[in-house]
Amino acid sequence: MPSSHDRAAPTDWDYELGFRPDSSWAREWLMTGSNDVVDLLDRPMTESAGPQDRTAVEPEAGQRPPRPPAAEPAAGRVRVRTARISKAHPRLPRKNARVDLTRVLPRQGAMQMTHAIASGWLKSGGVRTKSSGNCTSKYVHRCTSLDSVRTGTIAGIMELKRESKCPIMVTGGTEAGHAPGVYSHGNGYKLDISHNSCVDPYITKNYAKAGVRSDGAPLYRSDSGTIFADESSHWDILFR
């Protein structure tokens, strides 16, 4: 067996095989000679000599073996993660809201409504509207507009419909052509309704007489303060 002085230093080929001078088994190879390489390769590695070395550890009794390292994704593949979305409750069709406008607070009764909202409430309460010009513009006197009508006014006419159980036809609202004033059509306080054989006797029999207006129209007042003026072609109603 040659002496340690005759052994050659590790070559580049040795380093490519993983022979590192700083590892214990590489040092042992330098001490024993290259003929014992096969024996050294068969031995388990017990020291870490770099990022490529792995320590073989036997799991103790009752313990789970260590999990192997996760394999890196192959080049060119994109790892896509799918987000889990919780199942939402199915939306049920919403029923038409039913609000008792007759119980609206005074400050809410003073709020103004758009024509679409006001006409929708009247329709839901069984109150119809009619226009001689078949229009809804607030600025045309032949139209029947509910634009900027007060909420309390709509609540009042719906209450009349419910209590009288009579057909109610609104023929005048906030459109131009009515007399001006604080409590006027234009400010949303008044509505005109058509005469009929049901509502006429209901008003005259259930509401107290309140005199005669300056134009000769008889007046009737309800307990809530609503004033009905019996004009020749319609009822002019003031909701205050």
Side-chain angles (χ1 to χ4, degrees):
M1 181 175 180
S3 63
S4 59
H5 298 285
D6 297 334
R7 298 187 184 101
T11 64
D12 294 337
W13 181 82
D14 298 327
Y15 284 101
E16 291 179 0
L17 292 178
F19 287 65
R20 298 179 182 176
D22 57 346
S23 63
S24 61
W25 64 290
R27 290 194 299 271
E28 187 175 354
W29 176 81
L30 294 175
M31 297 292 295
T32 58
S34 58
N35 293 332
D36 299 329
V37 171
V38 177
D39 296 335
L40 293 175
L41 292 177
D42 293 336
R43 299 182 185 180
M45 300 170 62
T46 57
E47 294 185 6
S48 176
Q52 296 180 352
D53 295 333
R54 297 291 184 270
T55 303
V57 179
E58 293 294 336
E60 298 180 2
Q63 293 185 354
R64 299 177 60 182
R67 180 179 297 179
E72 297 182 358
R77 294 185 180 179
V78 179
R79 189 174 183 180
V80 180
R81 306 185 71 178
T82 304
R84 299 182 63 184
I85 303 176
S86 59
K87 295 182 180 179
H89 295 287
R91 293 187 178 183
L92 299 177
R94 181 178 297 179
K95 298 181 179 180
N96 293 332
R98 295 185 179 275
V99 179
D100 187 1
L101 292 180
T102 61
R103 303 178 62 182
V104 175
L105 297 177
R107 64 177 182 178
Q108 294 177 333
M111 296 177 61
Q112 295 180 333
M113 308 173 73
T114 64
H115 176 86
I117 294 177
S119 61
W121 282 115
L122 293 183
K123 184 177 180 180
S124 67
V127 179
R128 297 181 296 167
T129 59
K130 181 181 179 181
S131 170
S132 59
N134 195 24
C135 52
T136 60
S137 174
K138 184 179 181 179
Y139 306 100
V140 180
H141 72 279
R142 295 185 297 107
C143 299
T144 299
S145 176
L146 298 174
D147 190 22
S148 301
V149 69
R150 298 171 69 252
T151 305
T153 302
I154 298 298
I157 198 66
M158 293 180 67
E159 181 181 9
L160 176 64
K161 165 66 178 179
R162 182 172 57 256
E163 292 182 351
S164 67
K165 297 180 176 59
C166 295
I168 303 295
M169 176 73 74
V170 176
T171 59
T174 59
E175 67 278 353
H178 297 281
V182 177
Y183 301 106
S184 62
H185 280 270
N187 288 337
Y189 284 89
K190 302 179 76 174
L191 291 177
D192 293 341
I193 66 173
S194 300
H195 286 291
N196 62 59
S197 58
C198 180
V199 72
D200 290 354
Y202 178 84
I203 294 174
T204 56
K205 291 180 180 180
N206 290 277
Y207 302 142
K209 292 183 178 180
V212 178
R213 203 168 61 181
S214 59
D215 60 353
L219 301 177
Y220 299 85
R221 183 190 298 271
S222 68
D223 294 338
S224 61
T226 301
I227 299 176
F228 300 82
D230 187 5
E231 297 187 13
S232 59
S233 60
H234 61 270
W235 286 96
D236 183 76
I237 309 175
L238 170 61
F239 300 93
R240 300 182 61 176

